[in-house]
Amino acid sequence: DGKPAGVVALEPKSGKPLWQSVKDEAGYASPVAVGEDRLLCWMRNEVWLLNAADGGIVSHRPLRAGMEASVNAAQPVLLDGDRVAISAGYGVGLHVLRLPDLEPLWSQQNLLDCHYSSPVREGERLFGFDGRQETGQTLRCIDLAKREVVWESGRVPGGMLIRAGGYLLVVTEQGELWVVPTKAAQFDPAHTVQILRSGHRAHLAFAGGVLFARDGHQLVAVRVFE
């Protein structure tokens, strides 16, 4: 809850606290490494850039929804040119900031408003689920340079995604796997297959050509690439 600190660094072997920093409430987004010596942390109320060695504050900027019943859950995505993309629903929208000062470059609502899953990028394309889970979401491909939607899927409750080998590996809340080419001009999955029960938000893992996904009852391993 930010008392006495919102971000804590631990010694891996012993679990001993190394430092504590940031008087802000916890958010749902994980810290993101910026180079070898800094951390980007999106907390409940602000975005913070910290020194990884001691937790020293480099810069910070307020960024959150005006309503109390809201979440910051999607991880920030590092872009080329010392930029970072940050997205949320609840009227926040998509923000592109410049590091290290977290200078606002541009922001736009209803372009890619991520409720809980983290977007991924390839070049100037950003992929993620847009919209609130309660009303349905669409998987979108965004052109960051043009600030426009390239394509979007049909409406689903939501899902999680990662990028691997020139494809998006997407598992929807309905338990369906989509293998989507990242360079496609329209939403046209190369493969779709049911791999899980519906009603889950577990993140995905990928190694050695195999996708690992789970619901509340089982873990599945699906070979995607040889």
Side-chain angles (χ1 to χ4, degrees), residues 9-20:
L10 304 177
E11 201 283 322
K13 292 183 179 180
S14 67
K16 177 182 177 181
L18 297 176
W19 51 257
Q20 299 179 356

Side-chain angles (χ1 to χ4, degrees), residues 20 26 33-34 41 73 84 100 166 175:
Q20 299 179 356
V34 179
C41 304
V84 60

Side-chain angles (χ1 to χ4, degrees), residues 213-226:
R214 66 179 176 88
D215 56 25
H217 300 275
Q218 62 180 339
L219 171 69
V220 300
V222 181
R223 179 161 294 282
V224 181
F225 308 119
E226 294 296 335

Side-chain angles (χ1 to χ4, degrees), residues 4 14 18-19 34 61 74 99 108 118 136 143 167 176 199 205 211 219:
S14 67
L18 297 176
W19 51 257
V34 179
R61 180 170 297 277
L99 300 168
Q108 189 168 328
S118 300
D143 186 313
Y167 292 88
E176 191 173 41
L211 176 73
L219 171 69

Side-chain angles (χ1 to χ4, degrees), residues 23-208:
K23 292 184 177 181
D24 196 349
E25 299 174 83
Y28 291 89
S30 299
V32 174
V34 179
E36 297 182 355
D37 58 355
R38 287 179 174 174
L39 296 173
L40 187 67
C41 304
W42 193 15
M43 309 297 288
R44 174 64 169 140
N45 300 295
E46 301 193 38
V47 184
W48 302 79
L49 185 64
L50 309 177
N51 287 321
D54 58 9
I57 298 171
V58 179
S59 58
H60 61 102
R61 180 170 297 277
L63 183 59
R64 62 159 292 173
M67 62 186 297
E68 190 65 27
S70 61
V71 297
N72 304 329
Q75 285 185 234
V77 178
L78 298 179
L79 308 175
D80 295 332
D82 297 326
R83 297 171 299 155
V84 60
I86 302 179
S87 175
Y90 308 93
V92 173
L94 177 63
H95 292 248
V96 176
L97 312 178
R98 187 182 300 283
L99 300 168
D101 297 329
L102 298 173
E103 170 195 357
L105 297 179
W106 59 269
S107 64
Q108 189 168 328
Q109 293 187 31
N110 303 316
L111 181 62
L112 184 62
D113 300 357
C114 297
H115 188 184
Y116 64 85
S117 65
S118 300
V120 299
R121 81 169 183 101
E122 182 176 272
E124 283 296 304
R125 284 189 167 191
L126 190 64
F127 306 88
F129 278 98
D130 172 76
R132 291 279 296 275
Q133 191 270 348
E134 296 89 340
T135 55
Q137 302 179 337
T138 59
L139 178 67
R140 282 187 172 181
C141 170
I142 302 300
D143 186 313
L144 288 167
K146 296 179 180 178
R147 305 182 200 177
E148 65 183 22
V149 178
V150 178
W151 54 251
E152 66 178 348
S153 70
R155 192 167 294 275
V156 294
M160 307 296 286
L161 70 157
I162 57 177
R163 185 172 63 85
Y167 292 88
L168 302 177
L169 304 182
V170 183
V171 178
T172 71
E173 279 198 25
Q174 296 162 315
E176 191 173 41
L177 169 63
W178 299 344
V179 181
V180 184
T182 57
K183 297 186 182 301
Q186 59 187 1
F187 177 70
D188 186 17
H191 300 284
T192 61
V193 60
Q194 193 77 30
I195 62 171
L196 294 171
R197 297 173 173 86
S198 64
H200 71 93
R201 297 183 183 181
H203 209 284
L204 314 174
F206 180 80

